[in-house]
Amino acid sequence: MSVFFLVFDRHFKLIFSSKPHFSIPQTLHRLICNSSEKIWNYPQIPKLVVWVYLGKEVHAQNGVTPDWEKKVIDYFKEKLKENNAPKWVPSLNEVPLHYLKPNSFVKFRCMIQDMFDPEFYMGVYETVNQNTKARVLHFGKYRDVAECGPQQELDLNSPRSTTSERQTFYCVPVPGESLWVKEAYVNANQARVSPSTSYTPSRHKRSYEDDEDMDLQPNKQKDQHSGARQAGGLGGLHWRGEPKRLETEASSGQQLNSLNLSSPFDLNFPLPGEKGPACLVKVYEDWDCFKVNDVLELYGVLSVDPILSILNNEERDASALLDPMECTDMAEEQRVHSPPASLVPRIHVILAQKLQHINPLLPTCLNKEESRTCQFVSNFMSELSPVRAELLGFLTHALLGDSLAAEYLILHLISTVYTRRDVLPLGKFTVNLSGCPQNSTFTEHLYRIIQHLVPASFRLQMTIENMNQLKLIPHKDYTANRLVSGLLQLPNNTSLVIDETLLEQGQLDTPGVHNVAALSNLITWQKVDYDFSYHQMEFPCNINVLITSEGRSLLPADCQIHLQPQLIPPNMEEYMNGLLSAVLPSVLNKFRIYLTLLRFLDYNLSDDITKAVEDDFVEMRKNDPQSITADDLHQLLVVARFLSLSAGQTTLSRERWLRAKQLEHSRRSRLQQQKSVNGNEL
């Protein structure tokens, strides 16, 4: 026997085979037509059906082609590029888990929250029929459960079995993802699925009549747990004895009961109130190129076999009997690393790619070469000026008529760390918007405006209580062998709004002091030091931080702009709601494209411009040596950089340099005026 990997279209026409010149026997064709729903489950998707076939090996030289796995992956890559194929693949981000069936082909947009230890699994394993002694080879890739039919048992010593390695990531939905992003992905996804109330997971050789009998006779399900005891673990694959005796409902309630959990399972989301499934992601190739906090788009095979929960629970019980004094740590680790499949499904990855951004209004890849040739980007850049003007007007109204603050808010929203020189992150532009009215809902509504513009954001209410109680820094739990997330475990390009207007007098305890230090560290160095108990591990990041405060912030900032409202609405909520409703959805989408796209534009300074800036700096120093320092020059260059990019210019012009100097002069003058009014402002 040998393992073949076959790919069919929806009409079951053979498209690809890992075995050259392979023809389908009529019996196999009938088998596929009757059972293909197990694998793909979406007949409305006019794409691919994957099937693993156990064919007879006649000659050794006609075995599996060595590079067949690479050919399968390349095939999927090409097919997913055709005719908006990705939009037809159901997404775990939008489709409830109970609508999906095991082994369906799905996608998932997520962030790597933790990386577990690599695991070994049986790539190919052999079973023996106890009666006929017939041997069958099985394919173990993209599976969690090894199949053993009736009267079959695994041959653990088979020389034809192979052991392979895969990496497991714990992935969560992108933290802080904006509602408009979720809605846009839902609208773009053309896969529409409905729950199948008659479906029972792990249906093996059972007719539809048998399924109906099972529904009518729930007492039969009592045999499931006794049958599960015949199953065991095998190198990352669990195997089952008699499939008919191991069917079980996939309801979360039954899974929790079977695990006897003392507390609800913690999905370990970094931000409170997050929804969506967490997943154990099994990666088979190139896992070294991924790291914690990367945002990925995954395509793979969904595994939600309920038998996993039963087997993992029995493994914990067995370990407890072996050594009750030492089993606590092992049981906790097992509980975290093998959660109920109904709560934390598994995805066996066929294709995975890092996402530069999660803005659904833009092409996925915006590298320098592709952005130059992309027609969509070229067309948008041609109309950049009116978009900027409209956005400036919109933000001016949001900032109560302050056009100068609106200018700086635009620069802040398109800022990004473009490189690191030694330990210094270049391009960060943290803005402290001081002068915000205290005991007002202004900052709350300003954050809501920002939420409508950026793909991902979070508002941290900086109160004494929150600083003392919140967990900002992720830390390693050695008992469960996992990374426990904190509020600052955020993906790159997240907008973090720190609301300091809520801060009142009080005492910071030790955790509060550490949290404030962590925020300062994030702002200054664009990194978060994760707590590994015995040491700290540095995780670089690229997070835009906006601080709203009444006076000058307690936290460091690259730029302080004091708000000067030109109007005070009698009803702030009504005013902000009216502002949002007045903007056409098409215009709002242009703002969203503008703020994301400009982050990826290339920028450089010519030798002539560099020389002109140096000469101008020397001249300014001559006129007033106390007025400008080297730090002030750096600030000017950062402002000039993002001011140029905000106008779609990838190099600095004389006009933009003078405009940057004008903006900085106006900002400093305003701060000096505030200082003269209130001496403790600066």
Side-chain angles (χ1 to χ4, degrees):
M1 304 293 288
S2 63
V3 179
F4 303 148
F5 195 95
L6 311 179
V7 180
F8 302 86
D9 64 12
R10 65 173 298 187
H11 302 294
F12 308 110
K13 176 183 178 183
L14 181 65
I15 301 175
F16 174 84
S17 170
S18 61
K19 182 178 177 66
H21 313 297
F22 179 78
S23 60
I24 313 174
Q26 187 64 31
T27 54
L28 173 63
H29 185 271
R30 287 197 301 269
L31 174 66
I32 294 172
C33 291
N34 292 333
S35 306
S36 64
E37 187 187 34
K38 285 170 50 181
I39 299 295
W40 204 263
N41 301 313
Y42 294 98
Q44 70 270 35
I45 303 177
K47 297 303 167 196
L48 310 173
V49 174
V50 183
W51 190 263
V52 178
Y53 171 58
L54 302 177
K56 291 184 178 180
E57 177 65 47
V58 181
H59 300 288
Q61 62 267 28
N62 293 331
V64 178
T65 307
D67 59 346
W68 71 269
E69 291 176 305
K70 181 179 183 301
K71 291 182 178 179
V72 170
I73 294 174
D74 292 342
Y75 180 86
F76 272 88
K77 285 182 179 179
E78 293 302 316
K79 281 298 177 184
L80 287 173
K81 292 178 182 178
E82 298 177 3
N83 301 324
N84 293 322
K87 295 181 179 179
W88 287 99
V89 180
S91 172
L92 283 179
N93 300 94
E94 290 101 41
V95 181
L97 185 60
H98 61 274
Y99 279 42
L100 304 173
K101 298 177 183 178
N103 299 323
S104 54
F105 190 69
V106 298
K107 61 184 176 182
F108 186 40
R109 186 177 65 260
C110 58
M111 184 191 79
I112 301 177
Q113 190 276 322
D114 196 6
M115 291 182 170
F116 294 161
D117 296 331
E119 66 180 27
F120 293 98
Y121 71 99
M122 299 300 293
V124 176
Y125 56 95
E126 190 171 32
T127 59
V128 182
N129 190 295
Q130 296 174 347
N131 296 330
T132 65
K133 304 303 179 183
R135 292 179 170 268
V136 179
L137 279 183
H138 299 266
F139 181 77
K141 194 173 184 180
Y142 308 124
R143 302 181 67 90
D144 283 308
V145 178
E147 296 293 342
C148 273
Q151 307 303 321
Q152 285 186 328
E153 64 178 11
L154 264 86
D155 183 359
L156 299 177
N157 299 317
S158 171
R160 296 199 290 176
S161 297
T162 62
T163 302
S164 302
E165 185 181 17
R166 60 192 178 196
Q167 177 68 54
T168 302
F169 299 154
Y170 187 84
C171 295
V172 298
V174 181
E177 190 176 68
S178 298
L179 181 60
W180 65 268
V181 173
K182 299 180 189 295
E183 291 176 346
Y185 276 113
V186 170
N187 294 333
N189 195 355
Q190 299 175 21
R192 297 291 181 264
V193 295
S194 300
S196 178
T197 56
S198 64
Y199 177 74
T200 302
S202 305
R203 179 186 292 148
H204 297 277
K205 300 181 182 179
R206 179 180 294 280
S207 67
Y208 290 105
E209 290 79 12
D210 289 338
D211 288 329
E212 292 174 357
D213 291 342
M214 178 65 72
D215 293 336
L216 295 174
Q217 302 179 48
N219 290 333
K220 288 186 178 182
Q221 297 180 4
K222 295 179 180 179
D223 294 335
Q224 295 164 1
H225 297 282
S226 60
R229 296 190 181 95
Q230 302 175 16
L234 177 65
L237 282 178
H238 297 281
W239 65 278
R240 62 174 87 216
E242 298 182 13
K244 289 185 179 181
R245 297 173 62 84
L246 297 179
E247 295 179 357
T248 180
E249 295 296 334
S251 65
S252 59
Q254 290 177 343
Q255 296 299 328
L256 287 172
N257 291 334
S258 68
L259 282 171
N260 295 320
L261 295 180
S262 59
S263 61
F265 186 80
D266 178 15
L267 295 180
N268 209 15
F269 293 143
L271 300 179
E274 293 285 298
K275 296 181 180 179
C279 289
L280 286 179
V281 173
K282 309 295 181 73
V283 183
Y284 293 85
E285 288 89 17
D286 301 325
W287 57 72
D288 290 339
C289 64
F290 302 118
K291 61 183 185 298
V292 171
N293 300 338
D294 279 349
V295 175
L296 308 179
E297 185 173 52
L298 310 171
Y299 290 86
V301 180
L302 176 67
S303 174
V304 287
D305 201 317
I307 192 64
L308 291 172
S309 302
I310 300 174
L311 294 176
N312 293 328
N313 189 42
E314 293 190 348
E315 288 176 6
R316 285 192 288 274
D317 294 341
S319 64
L321 294 175
L322 291 175
D323 193 345
M325 298 300 294
E326 298 181 3
C327 71
T328 304
D329 290 356
M330 294 178 59
E332 179 63 18
E333 180 175 348
Q334 179 76 3
R335 186 182 77 90
V336 169
H337 287 243
S338 300
S342 57
L343 292 179
V344 182
R346 281 67 163 162
I347 297 180
H348 294 267
V349 175
I350 296 177
L351 298 174
Q353 63 172 335
K354 290 184 185 179
L355 294 181
Q356 290 181 305
H357 64 88
I358 57 170
N359 191 331
L361 305 175
L362 279 167
T364 303
C365 185
L366 286 175
N367 61 39
K368 298 171 185 176
E369 294 301 323
E370 290 194 16
S371 62
R372 292 192 185 101
T373 58
C374 178
Q375 189 64 38
F376 175 87
V377 174
S378 300
N379 293 340
F380 187 82
M381 293 299 292
S382 64
E383 58 178 32
L384 202 67
S385 294
V387 175
R388 188 191 192 282
E390 286 186 278
L391 177 60
L392 179 62
F394 176 72
L395 292 180
T396 298
H397 284 93
L399 293 169
L400 309 180
D402 191 340
S403 59
L404 181 62
E407 286 274 10
Y408 276 92
L409 185 55
I410 289 178
L411 305 186
H412 163 76
L413 291 175
I414 65 172
S415 65
T416 185
V417 176
Y418 59 89
T419 190
R420 292 179 185 266
R421 188 166 298 166
D422 295 326
V423 296
L424 184 64
L426 301 181
K428 71 182 184 72
F429 194 59
T430 299
V431 171
N432 172 208
L433 183 65
S434 60
C436 297
Q438 195 176 27
N439 301 323
S440 169
T441 59
F442 168 73
T443 53
E444 178 183 347
H445 290 292
L446 177 62
Y447 170 67
R448 195 155 62 90
I449 295 289
I450 293 175
Q451 274 187 308
H452 279 79
L453 298 176
V454 300
S457 61
F458 178 66
R459 175 180 173 233
L460 176 59
Q461 301 180 49
M462 193 174 176
T463 64
I464 294 293
E465 182 181 8
N466 282 346
M467 289 298 98
N468 287 336
Q469 295 181 2
L470 291 179
K471 303 294 184 183
L472 300 189
I473 301 296
H475 69 277
K476 180 73 172 184
D477 180 354
Y478 287 95
T479 301
N481 191 21
R482 70 165 177 172
L483 181 66
V484 180
S485 62
L487 292 180
L488 295 185
Q489 188 177 7
L490 300 172
N492 288 342
N493 302 318
T494 301
S495 289
L496 176 62
V497 177
I498 302 177
D499 188 355
E500 205 177 290
T501 62
L502 304 174
L503 191 62
E504 297 178 348
Q505 290 184 351
Q507 183 68 38
L508 286 175
D509 55 21
T510 301
V513 172
H514 289 165
N515 282 337
V516 172
L519 291 174
S520 299
N521 197 34
L522 165 66
I523 293 168
T524 304
W525 307 111
Q526 282 294 303
K527 66 184 182 73
V528 181
D529 294 327
Y530 289 16
D531 182 9
F532 281 73
S533 296
Y534 310 106
H535 66 283
Q536 290 187 331
M537 186 174 294
E538 179 180 299
F539 282 76
C541 58
N542 185 5
I543 297 174
N544 279 12
V545 182
L546 174 67
I547 309 168
T548 59
S549 60
E550 183 184 15
R552 185 178 183 178
S553 173
L554 300 176
L555 300 170
D558 300 306
C559 173
Q560 180 190 357
I561 175 73
H562 195 81
L563 184 67
Q564 286 189 349
Q566 303 301 307
L567 58 98
I568 302 295
N571 188 318
M572 189 68 68
E573 181 176 2
E574 184 178 331
Y575 174 80
M576 292 294 190
N577 289 340
L579 179 61
L580 280 172
S581 61
V583 182
L584 294 175
S586 59
V587 175
L588 203 55
N589 283 340
K590 289 181 179 180
F591 295 164
R592 294 161 176 166
I593 296 171
Y594 174 92
L595 294 175
T596 301
L597 178 61
L598 296 186
R599 288 171 171 262
F600 297 96
L601 292 184
D602 195 14
Y603 179 86
N604 57 76
L605 292 176
S606 64
D607 293 338
D608 294 341
I609 291 295
T610 302
K611 182 66 167 58
V613 169
E614 291 174 351
D615 293 343
D616 199 7
F617 174 66
V618 171
E619 191 66 28
M620 288 187 289
R621 290 281 293 170
K622 283 182 181 178
N623 296 334
D624 188 357
Q626 303 300 323
S627 66
I628 188 167
T629 64
D631 290 339
D632 296 327
L633 175 62
H634 174 74
Q635 172 87 347
L636 262 176
L637 288 171
V638 171
V639 171
R641 175 191 182 91
F642 294 120
L643 189 63
S644 300
L645 291 176
S646 72
Q649 299 178 2
T650 56
T651 188
L652 181 60
S653 64
R654 179 68 178 173
E655 176 188 1
R656 295 297 164 189
W657 174 249
L658 293 177
R659 176 59 176 162
K661 290 172 61 177
Q662 179 185 358
L663 287 177
E664 279 293 276
H665 176 74
S666 300
R667 182 183 69 84
R668 291 174 179 274
S669 299
R670 182 180 291 186
L671 289 177
Q672 290 297 328
Q673 294 173 6
Q674 184 64 25
K675 182 179 179 180
S676 63
V677 174
N678 187 352
N680 63 2
E681 283 293 319
L682 291 173

